[in-house]
mmCIF file of all heavy atoms in Angstrom:
data_model
loop_
_atom_site.group_PDB
_atom_site.id
_atom_site.type_symbol
_atom_site.label_atom_id
_atom_site.label_comp_id
_atom_site.label_asym_id
_atom_site.label_seq_id
_atom_site.Cartn_x
_atom_site.Cartn_y
_atom_site.Cartn_z
ATOM 1 N N ALA A 101 0.828 -1.201 0.000
ATOM 2 C CA ALA A 101 0.000 0.000 0.000
ATOM 3 C C ALA A 101 0.864 1.254 0.000
ATOM 4 O O ALA A 101 0.562 2.232 -0.694
ATOM 5 C CB ALA A 101 -0.923 -0.011 1.216
ATOM 6 N N ILE A 102 1.944 1.235 0.769
ATOM 7 C CA ILE A 102 2.863 2.376 0.797
ATOM 8 C C ILE A 102 3.506 2.561 -0.573
ATOM 9 O O ILE A 102 3.615 3.690 -1.090
ATOM 10 C CB ILE A 102 3.932 2.174 1.881
ATOM 11 C CG1 ILE A 102 3.299 2.232 3.273
ATOM 12 C CG2 ILE A 102 5.038 3.217 1.759
ATOM 13 C CD1 ILE A 102 4.244 1.867 4.400
ATOM 14 N N ASP A 103 3.913 1.461 -1.199
ATOM 15 C CA ASP A 103 4.564 1.531 -2.511
ATOM 16 C C ASP A 103 3.635 2.108 -3.579
ATOM 17 O O ASP A 103 4.092 2.757 -4.527
ATOM 18 C CB ASP A 103 5.030 0.140 -2.951
ATOM 19 C CG ASP A 103 6.211 -0.369 -2.130
ATOM 20 O OD1 ASP A 103 6.892 0.467 -1.501
ATOM 21 O OD2 ASP A 103 6.436 -1.586 -2.126
ATOM 22 N N THR A 104 2.341 1.850 -3.434
ATOM 23 C CA THR A 104 1.380 2.265 -4.464
ATOM 24 C C THR A 104 0.569 3.497 -4.073
ATOM 25 O O THR A 104 -0.201 4.011 -4.904
ATOM 26 C CB THR A 104 0.402 1.114 -4.764
ATOM 27 O OG1 THR A 104 -0.254 0.710 -3.542
ATOM 28 C CG2 THR A 104 1.128 -0.066 -5.370
ATOM 29 N N GLY A 105 0.707 3.955 -2.836
ATOM 30 C CA GLY A 105 -0.068 5.105 -2.387
ATOM 31 C C GLY A 105 -1.527 4.785 -2.144
ATOM 32 O O GLY A 105 -2.385 5.669 -2.198
ATOM 33 N N MET A 106 -1.827 3.522 -1.833
ATOM 34 C CA MET A 106 -3.196 3.085 -1.605
ATOM 35 C C MET A 106 -3.472 2.919 -0.103
ATOM 36 O O MET A 106 -2.559 2.938 0.717
ATOM 37 C CB MET A 106 -3.460 1.752 -2.321
ATOM 38 C CG MET A 106 -3.300 1.796 -3.828
ATOM 39 S SD MET A 106 -4.579 2.767 -4.665
ATOM 40 C CE MET A 106 -3.597 4.111 -5.340
ATOM 41 N N ASN A 107 -4.731 2.710 0.226
ATOM 42 C CA ASN A 107 -5.139 2.450 1.597
ATOM 43 C C ASN A 107 -4.718 1.038 2.006
ATOM 44 O O ASN A 107 -4.968 0.077 1.277
ATOM 45 C CB ASN A 107 -6.658 2.608 1.721
ATOM 46 C CG ASN A 107 -7.185 2.280 3.099
ATOM 47 O OD1 ASN A 107 -7.460 1.121 3.395
ATOM 48 N ND2 ASN A 107 -7.322 3.300 3.926
ATOM 49 N N SER A 108 -4.103 0.905 3.167
ATOM 50 C CA SER A 108 -3.539 -0.386 3.584
ATOM 51 C C SER A 108 -4.611 -1.462 3.745
ATOM 52 O O SER A 108 -4.450 -2.592 3.272
ATOM 53 C CB SER A 108 -2.769 -0.217 4.897
ATOM 54 O OG SER A 108 -2.257 -1.457 5.335
ATOM 55 N N ARG A 109 -5.717 -1.129 4.417
ATOM 56 C CA ARG A 109 -6.764 -2.123 4.652
ATOM 57 C C ARG A 109 -7.411 -2.545 3.334
ATOM 58 O O ARG A 109 -7.670 -3.732 3.096
ATOM 59 C CB ARG A 109 -7.808 -1.555 5.606
ATOM 60 C CG ARG A 109 -8.917 -2.537 5.978
ATOM 61 C CD ARG A 109 -9.827 -1.952 7.054
ATOM 62 N NE ARG A 109 -10.924 -2.848 7.358
ATOM 63 C CZ ARG A 109 -10.856 -3.894 8.175
ATOM 64 N NH1 ARG A 109 -9.708 -4.168 8.775
ATOM 65 N NH2 ARG A 109 -11.908 -4.653 8.402
ATOM 66 N N ALA A 110 -7.657 -1.574 2.464
ATOM 67 C CA ALA A 110 -8.255 -1.891 1.171
ATOM 68 C C ALA A 110 -7.302 -2.743 0.325
ATOM 69 O O ALA A 110 -7.739 -3.671 -0.368
ATOM 70 C CB ALA A 110 -8.619 -0.603 0.431
ATOM 71 N N MET A 111 -6.007 -2.436 0.399
ATOM 72 C CA MET A 111 -5.030 -3.222 -0.347
ATOM 73 C C MET A 111 -5.012 -4.667 0.134
ATOM 74 O O MET A 111 -4.899 -5.607 -0.666
ATOM 75 C CB MET A 111 -3.644 -2.593 -0.214
ATOM 76 C CG MET A 111 -2.524 -3.367 -0.917
ATOM 77 S SD MET A 111 -2.812 -3.604 -2.701
ATOM 78 C CE MET A 111 -2.701 -1.918 -3.303
ATOM 79 N N TYR A 112 -5.126 -4.859 1.457
ATOM 80 C CA TYR A 112 -5.139 -6.225 1.992
ATOM 81 C C TYR A 112 -6.325 -7.002 1.433
ATOM 82 O O TYR A 112 -6.200 -8.165 1.053
ATOM 83 C CB TYR A 112 -5.189 -6.193 3.515
ATOM 84 C CG TYR A 112 -5.219 -7.568 4.142
ATOM 85 C CD1 TYR A 112 -4.120 -8.426 4.040
ATOM 86 C CD2 TYR A 112 -6.354 -8.016 4.818
ATOM 87 C CE1 TYR A 112 -4.148 -9.694 4.603
ATOM 88 C CE2 TYR A 112 -6.393 -9.286 5.378
ATOM 89 C CZ TYR A 112 -5.287 -10.121 5.266
ATOM 90 O OH TYR A 112 -5.318 -11.378 5.817
ATOM 91 N N ARG A 113 -7.471 -6.362 1.358
ATOM 92 C CA ARG A 113 -8.655 -7.049 0.843
ATOM 93 C C ARG A 113 -8.490 -7.375 -0.635
ATOM 94 O O ARG A 113 -8.907 -8.443 -1.106
ATOM 95 C CB ARG A 113 -9.901 -6.190 1.085
ATOM 96 C CG ARG A 113 -10.257 -6.044 2.560
ATOM 97 C CD ARG A 113 -11.433 -5.101 2.764
ATOM 98 N NE ARG A 113 -12.661 -5.670 2.254
ATOM 99 C CZ ARG A 113 -13.462 -6.495 2.952
ATOM 100 N NH1 ARG A 113 -13.132 -6.853 4.180
ATOM 101 N NH2 ARG A 113 -14.567 -6.958 2.427
ATOM 102 N N LEU A 114 -7.884 -6.458 -1.399
ATOM 103 C CA LEU A 114 -7.623 -6.725 -2.813
ATOM 104 C C LEU A 114 -6.684 -7.913 -2.974
ATOM 105 O O LEU A 114 -6.936 -8.818 -3.789
ATOM 106 C CB LEU A 114 -7.028 -5.493 -3.487
ATOM 107 C CG LEU A 114 -6.542 -5.705 -4.933
ATOM 108 C CD1 LEU A 114 -7.714 -6.017 -5.857
ATOM 109 C CD2 LEU A 114 -5.768 -4.497 -5.438
ATOM 110 N N LEU A 115 -5.606 -7.931 -2.205
ATOM 111 C CA LEU A 115 -4.628 -9.012 -2.315
ATOM 112 C C LEU A 115 -5.229 -10.347 -1.889
ATOM 113 O O LEU A 115 -4.933 -11.389 -2.493
ATOM 114 C CB LEU A 115 -3.394 -8.681 -1.484
ATOM 115 C CG LEU A 115 -2.560 -7.508 -2.010
ATOM 116 C CD1 LEU A 115 -1.539 -7.063 -0.972
ATOM 117 C CD2 LEU A 115 -1.868 -7.866 -3.319
ATOM 118 N N ARG A 116 -6.069 -10.337 -0.864
ATOM 119 C CA ARG A 116 -6.740 -11.573 -0.443
ATOM 120 C C ARG A 116 -7.653 -12.083 -1.557
ATOM 121 O O ARG A 116 -7.723 -13.289 -1.828
ATOM 122 C CB ARG A 116 -7.562 -11.331 0.831
ATOM 123 C CG ARG A 116 -6.749 -11.283 2.123
ATOM 124 C CD ARG A 116 -6.197 -12.635 2.519
ATOM 125 N NE ARG A 116 -7.254 -13.619 2.715
ATOM 126 C CZ ARG A 116 -7.880 -13.829 3.879
ATOM 127 N NH1 ARG A 116 -7.556 -13.090 4.928
ATOM 128 N NH2 ARG A 116 -8.807 -14.750 3.978
ATOM 129 N N ALA A 117 -8.362 -11.162 -2.206
ATOM 130 C CA ALA A 117 -9.248 -11.561 -3.301
ATOM 131 C C ALA A 117 -8.446 -12.162 -4.442
ATOM 132 O O ALA A 117 -8.816 -13.202 -5.010
ATOM 133 C CB ALA A 117 -10.054 -10.353 -3.784
ATOM 134 N N LEU A 118 -7.340 -11.537 -4.785
ATOM 135 C CA LEU A 118 -6.501 -12.054 -5.868
ATOM 136 C C LEU A 118 -5.876 -13.387 -5.493
ATOM 137 O O LEU A 118 -5.753 -14.287 -6.328
ATOM 138 C CB LEU A 118 -5.422 -11.030 -6.214
ATOM 139 C CG LEU A 118 -5.930 -9.752 -6.899
ATOM 140 C CD1 LEU A 118 -4.857 -8.679 -6.907
ATOM 141 C CD2 LEU A 118 -6.389 -10.060 -8.324
ATOM 142 N N ALA A 119 -5.469 -13.522 -4.239
ATOM 143 C CA ALA A 119 -4.883 -14.785 -3.780
ATOM 144 C C ALA A 119 -5.907 -15.924 -3.838
ATOM 145 O O ALA A 119 -5.547 -17.085 -4.064
ATOM 146 C CB ALA A 119 -4.336 -14.626 -2.364
ATOM 147 N N SER A 120 -7.179 -15.599 -3.665
ATOM 148 C CA SER A 120 -8.210 -16.640 -3.664
ATOM 149 C C SER A 120 -8.367 -17.296 -5.029
ATOM 150 O O SER A 120 -8.901 -18.405 -5.132
ATOM 151 C CB SER A 120 -9.552 -16.055 -3.216
ATOM 152 O OG SER A 120 -10.134 -15.253 -4.238
ATOM 153 N N VAL A 121 -7.895 -16.619 -6.090
ATOM 154 C CA VAL A 121 -7.982 -17.199 -7.437
ATOM 155 C C VAL A 121 -6.593 -17.483 -8.008
ATOM 156 O O VAL A 121 -6.440 -17.699 -9.212
ATOM 157 C CB VAL A 121 -8.770 -16.264 -8.391
ATOM 158 C CG1 VAL A 121 -10.234 -16.221 -7.995
ATOM 159 C CG2 VAL A 121 -8.174 -14.860 -8.417
ATOM 160 N N GLY A 122 -5.584 -17.476 -7.147
ATOM 161 C CA GLY A 122 -4.251 -17.884 -7.575
ATOM 162 C C GLY A 122 -3.355 -16.781 -8.080
ATOM 163 O O GLY A 122 -2.218 -17.047 -8.494
ATOM 164 N N VAL A 123 -3.857 -15.545 -8.096
ATOM 165 C CA VAL A 123 -3.007 -14.412 -8.461
ATOM 166 C C VAL A 123 -2.401 -13.888 -7.154
ATOM 167 O O VAL A 123 -3.095 -13.249 -6.373
ATOM 168 C CB VAL A 123 -3.804 -13.299 -9.162
ATOM 169 C CG1 VAL A 123 -2.871 -12.169 -9.605
ATOM 170 C CG2 VAL A 123 -4.566 -13.855 -10.354
ATOM 171 N N PHE A 124 -1.144 -14.173 -6.913
ATOM 172 C CA PHE A 124 -0.435 -13.965 -5.640
ATOM 173 C C PHE A 124 -0.814 -15.074 -4.650
ATOM 174 O O PHE A 124 -1.791 -15.798 -4.843
ATOM 175 C CB PHE A 124 -0.707 -12.583 -5.031
ATOM 176 C CG PHE A 124 -0.369 -11.448 -5.949
ATOM 177 C CD1 PHE A 124 -1.353 -10.562 -6.393
ATOM 178 C CD2 PHE A 124 0.923 -11.267 -6.395
ATOM 179 C CE1 PHE A 124 -1.048 -9.530 -7.258
ATOM 180 C CE2 PHE A 124 1.246 -10.232 -7.267
ATOM 181 C CZ PHE A 124 0.255 -9.368 -7.693
ATOM 182 N N ARG A 125 0.007 -15.194 -3.639
ATOM 183 C CA ARG A 125 -0.186 -16.211 -2.608
ATOM 184 C C ARG A 125 0.074 -15.559 -1.250
ATOM 185 O O ARG A 125 1.080 -14.868 -1.067
ATOM 186 C CB ARG A 125 0.785 -17.375 -2.823
ATOM 187 C CG ARG A 125 0.626 -18.517 -1.820
ATOM 188 C CD ARG A 125 1.642 -19.611 -2.068
ATOM 189 N NE ARG A 125 1.492 -20.218 -3.390
ATOM 190 C CZ ARG A 125 2.343 -20.051 -4.401
ATOM 191 N NH1 ARG A 125 3.431 -19.300 -4.237
ATOM 192 N NH2 ARG A 125 2.141 -20.624 -5.571
#
């Protein structure tokens, strides 16, 4: 989130969603 200038909590939810379909782990 710091690297991208995004909200930390929102970024976590995005990454969890992507991880659920195999994009990131």
Side-chain angles (χ1 to χ4, degrees):
I102 292 173
D103 289 340
T104 57
M106 299 291 115
N107 177 274
S108 178
R109 183 173 177 82
M111 178 57 67
Y112 179 66
R113 293 176 69 86
L114 172 66
L115 292 168
R116 282 290 301 271
L118 290 167
S120 74
V121 291
V123 183
F124 304 118
R125 182 182 298 109

